[in-house]
Amino acid sequence: MVGREGELGRLLSLLDDAEEGRSVVALVSGDAGVGKTRLIGEVTRLAAGRGFTVLSGQCAELGDSVPYLPLADALRGAAQSTGVRDALSSRPALGRLLPEGGEGPIADSDRSGLARQQMFGGVLGLLAELAAATPVLLVLEDLHWADASTRDLVTFLSRMLHRERVALIGSYRTDDLHRRHPLRPVVAELLRLPSVIAVDLAPLAPSTLAEHLTATAPVRIDATELNDIVARAEGNAYYAEELLAASVGDPGHRDALPAGLAALLLNRVEQLTDATQQVLRAAAVAGRKADDELVRALSGLEAAEYEGAVREAVTHQLLVPDGTEGYVFRHALLREAVYADLLPGERTRLHATMCSLLADEQRLTIAGTAAELAQHCLASHDIPGAFAASVRAGKDAEQLGAPAEAHRHYDQALALWERVTDPEKTAGMARGKLGLMSATTAADSGDVDRAVHLLRRLRQVLAAQAEQGGPPVDVKLASRIGERLAFNLILLDDPKAPAEAVEVARATVEATPADPPTSQYARALTTYAYALVVEEDFSVARDWAERGIAAARAADAPWVEADALVTLGFMSNREGRNDEAIKVLTAAHRQAREAMMLGVELRSAYHLARAHLERGDLTTGGAVAHEGTKRAIQTGLDMSPYGWELQHLHFQCHFADGKWDHAQEIADGFPVRVTSPPEAYLSSMALFIDVARGNPAVEERRAWIEPFWTVYGFDPFIARGLLAEHALWQGDTEQALAEAQMAIDLDDVPPWGYSPSVLRPAAVALSARADRAVQARASGDHETARAEASAAAELIDIARRGAAFPKRPKFIMGPEGRGWLARAEAEYQRATGDNAPQAWEAVLDAFGPGYCYEIARTRWRLAEALAEAGRRDDANEQWRQAAQIADRLAARPLRRALDDLARRARIGTAPDLPDGAVLTSLTSREREVLRLIAAGRSNREIASVLFIAPKTASVHVSNILGKLGAASRTEAAAIAHREGLAAEPSRN
């Protein structure tokens, strides 16, 4: 029941009403495949477990030929029950609905001649008699296929059932209810009755559907494939499961629509007139969003016939008006089914007609038309046309600031190169130049791996061409390809890439003529210097960077000079001379802007903003990062290497300085349904504020980030560390330690060991160990307390080694790093039983006033230490300051922790614990989870007991803590025990 907890809760509440003698009716609606039957099946199962008599029947697609079919189905299924059999025996009218009811076979005419009053009265009496013994659940599914008699029976029962212990659930498909469907007025009439409620099943949210597929898949699903399935299914669970099954069962045909699903979709199309089907076929070829003028021309119908056909398609909810100029298919898979059903020749001819319609020069001036034309040319086997349109589409996409789309078009043109006569003339450029454009746009879109792959191949082709005595190699093009390859290798998350970058950059410098002075030679020198920096060869790198500056000045290339200055500033920062670094990087940034070289401008902005952030100057760092972010977004480079890094720096500055509403706006703009490592990085960054505020988006982001944990090119360090904090706020120390350890392990890079980055997850793990040690000492379990203190000693050793940073001995930590080291030391002391206020005061001093949230978290712990030391007035003041910040930031988990401390230490002003009335705000499932929390179960164990995903269990725990105002699982358990909510039996 992933994603259907709310709807399930509503239906289960109906069972509660029925048990108490209030007859109720629920109409469950939704598109085919959205999950109605699964939801009702779960309700049926739970009702049976609660002692209900369950009568469940289904309608069939037989029209009005068999009256009372779902009722007969329900009675047949339950007739084996003694109570139902006895009740039927006294009602001959109902008994005749059963195969054995009466003597010999019963003709349809006899059945249709049953007196309505006798039948309706018999059903009402049957339900009343059964309900006198046990509550009754009557389920009638697929009412969109119901006969007139069944529709009337549902109306009769809805009006006549009052105090009987009966719940009636009916379901129907909304996508089958066209405007003249006979069930429409029945539903409208029923929903006016006070005892009838509507439960509309909307499509599942993308993250929920992703979680469902991940949990049910027999093998791990690739993130891109998962996103593709989710996008195609549009929230429909059945569609998604069918697409997943087809993908897993036959990977070679994962894009094809499964036969069973296609038949289901086409069944609705085949019921329409020939003209309407012709319009749908034309619209399917035009695309899911179909321009009215194009579809009309493509269909070949006269105006009047076309208008009538479109109206019928809209009436039957196959097409939906889209603005004022066209239509979209109600569901993307419907368009796929219609398109796949086209005959080969028919499909080719329709695409060829589309080509002639789109090739109009006036249309080609509209953005996106060239891309459409390329697609239709390919489908109609017009290779020269597809090649020319692909090149044009790539250029159009670049002008629009859409590098990912430009790369796709250029790549397609490259694939068609050898199938076109005189491609250089058609493209207006050499093949190597087109390949370079494809690689550059790939890098600009964030796909550095693809860029490196393409550049390697181009370099190999040029080398082979030179060896085989082919046409002269364009030296400038070859140098540009080598330089870009080296630069992108530096950005690649691969331990072998830096060495290759140095080798390629050196070879490029040697192969590029120094005279006459050119910007390309200067650029090759500058990139070589940058590659040497990455290899930590600073003394040699500085010499090459200065050579690059001299060559840039000689070639009058100020933007290359700016690039070299960035490298010099970067080295100064790495060597601990941050003031010097900021001065150099500021000059580089200004020079790059004046030269209007965007790539260098973004690179200099990133390093400058980071230098300010490391120094603790959040205001200036945030301003630089913001300006760089705006430039990246305006030019479509928001997912390029420095584009997305500037975005996360901009967010980090405002997260640190306490401007959280602005930080939340930034984080909300980071993608959730991530399909690439850059997007996954940004979503990981959003966890900073989502965890700190206790936002429900944490689990949604995790569901999409998780598949990237094993993807080459993605580092899950930040996500793991923040999810550890999330678990710690929930009181799940087991999960917190597991996540933190994963992050710690990721930072351990042989032969150097740990870096200062390890300080945060190590401090979080130390906090979890300290919580366990404190609890063990409080319960008299000194052996466990000693074990936790021993584990904490190992963690503080890791933190200290990370702070030493063996790889960069000249590195000087900024205030944030010093603050986290001090926090790790304070948590270690707390774990050993010495929670000294001085240790937490040292944390305050280390962070300084700039890091608002960390100051508030530290004051919380300091207030606790002061209270333990008996300094209540000082503790109260620290609590007050922390509470003010927590309220201003809307840091809900911290505020709950402060309230918990206030109640325990009798300081501050915390609201009283809720009374039993608050437990009524919990859903039935949340009550089950709370019972398990009270029994000491972890999230993973709760998930196992309740047959739900661990992520779903985590969401329930977060909701429970929020509703109860509890700071931790321990406090929630205390509330449960105090209010008499029986705990789940303890484990043996």
Side-chain angles (χ1 to χ4, degrees), residues 78 91 174 177 213-214 239 258 333 350 354 358 388 495 549 631 649 686 724-725 762 940 946:
R91 294 172 175 82
T174 50
L177 256 63
L213 293 174
T214 303
Y239 293 177
L333 292 184
L350 286 171
M354 276 296 295
L358 293 174
I549 290 173
R631 291 281 288 154
L649 278 184
E725 292 188 35
R940 192 170 298 279
L946 298 181

Coordinates of all heavy atoms in Angstrom, one line a residue, residues 78 91 174 177 213-214 239 258 333 350 354 358 388 495 549 631 649 686 724-725 762 940 946:
A78 N -19.5 -16.2 -1.3 CA -19.7 -16.3 0.2 C -20.7 -17.5 0.6 O -21.0 -17.7 1.7 CB -20.2 -15.0 0.7
R91 N -34.6 -16.8 1.3 CA -34.9 -15.7 0.3 C -34.8 -16.3 -1.1 O -33.7 -16.2 -1.7 CB -34.0 -14.5 0.5 CG -34.2 -13.8 1.9 CD -33.2 -12.8 2.1 NE -33.6 -12.1 3.4 CZ -33.3 -12.5 4.6 NH1 -32.6 -13.7 4.7 NH2 -33.7 -11.8 5.7
T174 N -12.7 6.1 -13.8 CA -13.0 7.5 -14.2 C -12.7 7.7 -15.7 O -13.4 8.5 -16.3 CB -12.2 8.5 -13.4 OG1 -10.8 8.1 -13.4 CG2 -12.7 8.5 -11.9
L177 N -15.7 6.9 -17.9 CA -17.0 7.6 -17.7 C -17.0 8.8 -18.6 O -16.7 9.9 -18.3 CB -17.1 8.1 -16.2 CG -18.1 7.3 -15.4 CD1 -17.6 5.8 -15.3 CD2 -18.2 7.9 -14.0
L213 N 8.5 0.6 -7.1 CA 9.2 -0.2 -8.1 C 10.5 -0.7 -7.6 O 10.9 -1.9 -7.9 CB 9.4 0.6 -9.4 CG 8.2 1.1 -10.2 CD1 8.6 2.0 -11.3 CD2 7.5 -0.2 -10.7
T214 N 11.2 0.1 -6.8 CA 12.5 -0.4 -6.3 C 12.3 -1.5 -5.3 O 13.1 -2.5 -5.3 CB 13.1 0.8 -5.5 OG1 13.3 1.9 -6.4 CG2 14.5 0.4 -5.0
Y239 N 0.6 0.2 -14.9 CA 1.4 0.5 -16.1 C 2.9 0.4 -15.8 O 3.6 -0.2 -16.5 CB 1.1 2.0 -16.6 CG -0.3 2.2 -17.2 CD1 -0.7 3.5 -17.6 CD2 -1.2 1.2 -17.3 CE1 -1.9 3.7 -18.1 CE2 -2.5 1.4 -17.8 CZ -2.8 2.7 -18.2 OH -4.1 2.9 -18.7
P258 N 4.4 -3.4 -23.5 CA 4.0 -4.8 -23.3 C 2.6 -5.1 -24.0 O 1.7 -4.2 -24.0 CB 3.9 -4.9 -21.8 CG 4.7 -3.8 -21.2 CD 4.7 -2.7 -22.2
L333 N 1.1 6.7 -22.4 CA 1.1 5.3 -22.9 C 0.0 5.0 -23.9 O 0.1 4.1 -24.7 CB 1.0 4.3 -21.8 CG 2.3 4.2 -20.8 CD1 2.1 3.2 -19.8 CD2 3.5 4.0 -21.7
L350 N 2.8 8.7 -42.9 CA 2.4 9.8 -42.0 C 3.6 10.6 -41.6 O 3.5 11.9 -41.5 CB 1.7 9.2 -40.8 CG 0.2 8.7 -41.0 CD1 -0.3 7.9 -39.8 CD2 -0.7 9.9 -41.4
M354 N 4.4 14.6 -42.3 CA 4.8 15.6 -41.2 C 6.0 16.3 -41.6 O 6.2 17.5 -41.4 CB 5.0 14.8 -39.9 CG 3.7 14.6 -39.1 SD 2.9 16.1 -38.5 CE 4.1 16.7 -37.4
L358 N 6.4 20.3 -41.7 CA 7.4 21.0 -40.8 C 8.5 21.7 -41.5 O 9.2 22.6 -40.9 CB 7.9 20.0 -39.8 CG 7.0 19.4 -38.8 CD1 7.7 18.4 -37.9 CD2 6.4 20.5 -37.8
A388 N 20.6 17.0 -41.7 CA 20.6 18.4 -41.7 C 19.8 19.0 -40.6 O 20.2 20.0 -40.0 CB 20.1 18.9 -43.1
P495 N 40.0 7.8 -9.9 CA 41.4 8.0 -9.4 C 42.5 7.9 -10.4 O 43.6 8.4 -10.2 CB 41.5 6.8 -8.4 CG 40.4 5.9 -8.8 CD 39.3 6.7 -9.3
I549 N 50.1 32.6 -18.5 CA 49.8 34.0 -18.4 C 50.6 34.8 -19.5 O 50.0 35.7 -20.2 CB 50.0 34.6 -17.0 CG1 49.0 34.0 -16.0 CG2 50.0 36.1 -17.0 CD1 49.3 34.3 -14.6
R631 N 24.2 33.4 -13.7 CA 24.8 33.4 -15.0 C 24.7 32.0 -15.6 O 24.4 31.8 -16.8 CB 26.3 33.8 -14.9 CG 26.5 35.2 -14.6 CD 26.3 36.1 -15.8 NE 27.4 35.9 -16.7 CZ 27.4 36.1 -18.0 NH1 26.2 36.5 -18.6 NH2 28.4 36.0 -18.8
L649 N 27.0 26.0 -3.5 CA 27.7 26.9 -2.6 C 26.7 28.1 -2.3 O 26.7 28.5 -1.1 CB 28.9 27.5 -3.4 CG 30.2 26.7 -3.4 CD1 31.3 27.4 -4.0 CD2 30.6 26.3 -1.9
A686 N 20.2 19.5 -0.8 CA 18.9 20.0 -0.3 C 18.6 19.3 1.1 O 17.8 19.8 1.9 CB 17.8 19.7 -1.3
A724 N 22.3 10.3 8.2 CA 22.6 9.9 9.6 C 22.1 10.9 10.6 O 21.5 10.5 11.7 CB 24.2 9.8 9.7
E725 N 22.2 12.2 10.3 CA 21.6 13.2 11.2 C 20.1 13.0 11.3 O 19.5 13.2 12.3 CB 21.9 14.6 10.7 CG 23.4 14.9 10.8 CD 23.7 16.4 10.5 OE1 22.9 17.2 10.8 OE2 24.8 16.6 9.9
A762 N 31.7 12.0 11.6 CA 32.3 11.4 12.8 C 31.6 12.0 14.0 O 31.4 11.3 15.0 CB 33.8 11.7 12.8
R940 N 13.8 -0.5 10.8 CA 13.9 -1.7 9.9 C 13.0 -2.8 10.5 O 12.3 -3.5 9.8 CB 15.3 -2.1 9.9 CG 15.6 -3.2 8.8 CD 17.1 -3.4 8.6 NE 17.7 -2.2 8.1 CZ 17.7 -1.8 6.9 NH1 17.1 -2.5 6.0 NH2 18.3 -0.7 6.5
L946 N 5.3 -4.8 9.9 CA 4.1 -4.3 9.2 C 4.1 -4.5 7.7 O 3.2 -4.0 7.0 CB 4.0 -2.8 9.5 CG 3.8 -2.4 11.0 CD1 3.7 -0.9 11.2 CD2 2.6 -3.2 11.6

